[in-house]
Amino acid sequence: MKTLQWIGDTSGHLRLIDQTRLPVEETYLDCHTVAQTHDAIRRLVVRGAPAIGIAAAYGVCVAVAEARREQPDLSVADARAAAHSAIDYLATSRPTAVNLFWALDRMRGIVDGSEDDSLAQRLLQEATAIHEQDRQMCAAMGQHGAPLLADCRNVLTHCNAGGLAASELGTALAVIYAAHDAGTPLHVYADETRPLLQGARLTAWELSRAGIDVTVLCDSMPACLMREGKIDAVIVGADRVAANGDAANKIGTYALAIVARHHGVPFYVVAPSSTFDMQLESGEGIPIEQRDRQEVSHPFGKQTVPDDAGVFNPAFDVTPADLITAIVTERGIIRPVNTANVLHVLANFAERADSED
């Protein structure tokens, strides 16, 4: 499964698996313009913090290729202007996933450091490097996290934190895949994850294709399973993690963490260092995206809410660090979750962030 891929050379384009069509149709969307890339991120054709960052990085390459098609004799200055404009535009696509801004900042550094006609090649090299780095981080998170599930048989996850949300293996699902490969006989409960059903449509699709036993639940069902002792662990991804370990993830994650704590079930978050926002002391500063009314009032084209009724549709909520048993990163496990341990495990990342201030 190729969640996203670059097709061709510097004049090529971005190809995405269209996640809005899954699980019924496995189709791909080709993005030849910056506007198409922005729309694909906004409409959740591509989604998940790492995948959004990778798509945005390639989107800057799309911008230069698009400008060169429109103006074959494009000057270096105009190419840089097109790239800068694309970076600013793509940054408006979704506000919560910090990987988007992390990747765009890396691409901005390439633009600012390029003074000759090698810009397009250097941008594509950087986007490809971001893509490959994510593959390596996903694999490392899987290996670090697998021992946490060694004694588990029934694991609950929320939303989709697999290959569809990243480059290949994903974040939380990378841990499940690694545990499965190590011989742990896992059964996964996947929350539907309303209102857009990423758990039912995407996670269940991924896991069943991988040969992992999966059962889909409505979002209101996990508490009764935990009460009956049928959940051994909860494992989720994240779209942004503050310096103290507070973690933003798909709406409904916070409620799961509360229920898990009540029933003594360990609650794990899996996120690469690129998802940490070391400039935010706590989750109170994480911007929460408010999605369109139609996603709740007309799910998948069918009206379920009266016209005169209001709709509240935040895409994410924030789970406080004190409800998180451990955070798995590509650099190791943060446990217990607090500012000191975040800084210790992500020392190099934190020092780099500080040097940029």
Side-chain angles (χ1 to χ4, degrees), residues 52 62 72 137 161 169 181 183 185 230 291 305 319 326 328 331 352:
I52 288 172
V62 167
M137 289 192 292
L169 295 173
D181 290 345
K230 294 181 179 179
R291 299 285 297 177
V305 175
T319 299
V328 180
R331 302 188 180 192
R352 185 165 64 251

Side-chain angles (χ1 to χ4, degrees), residues 280-322:
L280 294 181
E281 292 185 3
S282 74
E284 293 183 4
I286 297 176
I288 300 299
E289 177 183 4
Q290 298 293 325
R291 299 285 297 177
D292 190 83
R293 167 193 173 88
Q294 295 290 108
E295 293 178 350
V296 175
S297 66
H298 294 71
F300 305 99
K302 182 176 178 61
Q303 183 169 356
T304 58
V305 175
D307 290 336
D308 294 335
V311 165
F312 178 56
N313 188 22
F316 306 95
D317 54 27
V318 177
T319 299
D322 61 6

Side-chain angles (χ1 to χ4, degrees), residues 238-263:
D239 285 75
R240 191 181 299 220
V241 182
N244 71 338
D246 293 350
N249 192 51
K250 184 56 59 183
I251 189 73
T253 303
Y254 177 33
L256 273 182
I258 293 172
V259 173
R261 173 58 57 87
H262 178 76
H263 292 285

Side-chain angles (χ1 to χ4, degrees), residues 16-329:
L16 304 167
I17 188 168
D18 189 342
Q19 298 186 37
T20 67
R21 303 290 188 90
L22 292 173
V24 178
E25 292 181 66
E26 187 175 335
T27 61
Y28 290 80
L29 175 70
D30 289 327
C31 297
H32 295 273
T33 68
V34 178
Q36 289 171 337
T37 308
H38 184 285
D39 181 66
I41 296 171
R42 184 187 59 79
R43 289 195 300 110
L44 311 184
V45 170
V46 60
R47 40 144 301 281
I52 288 172
I54 299 165
Y58 281 129
V60 182
C61 302
V62 167
V64 176
E66 179 184 4
R68 289 171 68 182
R69 285 196 305 274
E70 295 175 352
Q71 188 178 338
D73 58 347
L74 189 72
S75 68
V76 174
D78 287 341
R80 292 179 66 191
H84 274 301
S85 177
I87 290 168
D88 291 341
Y89 180 46
L90 290 166
T92 68
S93 56
R94 297 195 70 190
T96 302
V98 75
N99 304 63
L100 171 69
F101 308 101
W102 170 81
L104 290 175
D105 283 347
R106 284 181 57 167
M107 299 302 281
R108 192 189 309 276
I110 297 299
V111 178
D112 292 343
S114 298
E115 300 291 345
D116 55 32
D117 57 9
S118 68
L119 175 61
Q121 185 62 44
R122 293 185 62 192
L123 285 172
L124 183 55
Q125 288 173 346
E126 186 69 3
T128 303
I130 290 171
H131 198 170
E132 179 57 31
Q133 183 180 0
D134 185 72
R135 288 191 183 96
Q136 295 173 6
M137 289 192 292
C138 289
M141 285 184 288
Q143 294 305 310
H144 284 304
L148 297 175
L149 303 184
D151 296 325
C152 297
R153 293 298 175 266
N154 295 291
V155 177
L156 174 70
T157 191
H158 189 69
C159 194
N160 172 261
L164 290 170
S167 57
E168 196 167 83
L169 295 173
T171 57
L173 292 199
V175 175
I176 290 173
Y177 292 140
H180 176 76
D181 290 345
T184 304
L186 286 178
H187 167 245
V188 179
Y189 285 105
D191 280 346
E192 274 185 315
T193 317
R194 297 180 179 181
L196 296 180
L197 307 184
Q198 292 97 328
R201 295 188 304 106
L202 307 180
T203 296
W205 182 78
E206 273 197 51
L207 292 175
S208 58
R209 281 168 53 102
I212 296 175
D213 191 17
V214 58
T215 299
V216 175
L217 302 174
C218 291
D219 289 6
S220 56
M221 296 177 180
C224 66
L225 283 177
M226 290 188 199
R227 183 178 182 181
E228 294 171 3
K230 294 181 179 179
I231 302 294
D232 299 313
V234 179
I235 189 164
V236 300
D239 285 75
R240 191 181 299 220
V241 182
N244 71 338
D246 293 350
N249 192 51
K250 184 56 59 183
I251 189 73
T253 303
Y254 177 33
L256 273 182
I258 293 172
V259 173
R261 173 58 57 87
H262 178 76
H263 292 285
V265 175
F267 185 92
Y268 302 120
V269 171
V270 187
S273 56
S274 56
T275 299
F276 284 74
D277 188 343
M278 303 305 292
Q279 307 305 312
L280 294 181
E281 292 185 3
S282 74
E284 293 183 4
I286 297 176
I288 300 299
E289 177 183 4
Q290 298 293 325
R291 299 285 297 177
D292 190 83
R293 167 193 173 88
Q294 295 290 108
E295 293 178 350
V296 175
S297 66
H298 294 71
F300 305 99
K302 182 176 178 61
Q303 183 169 356
T304 58
V305 175
D307 290 336
D308 294 335
V311 165
F312 178 56
N313 188 22
F316 306 95
D317 54 27
V318 177
T319 299
D322 61 6
L323 293 178
I324 301 172
T325 307
I327 301 178
V328 180
T329 79

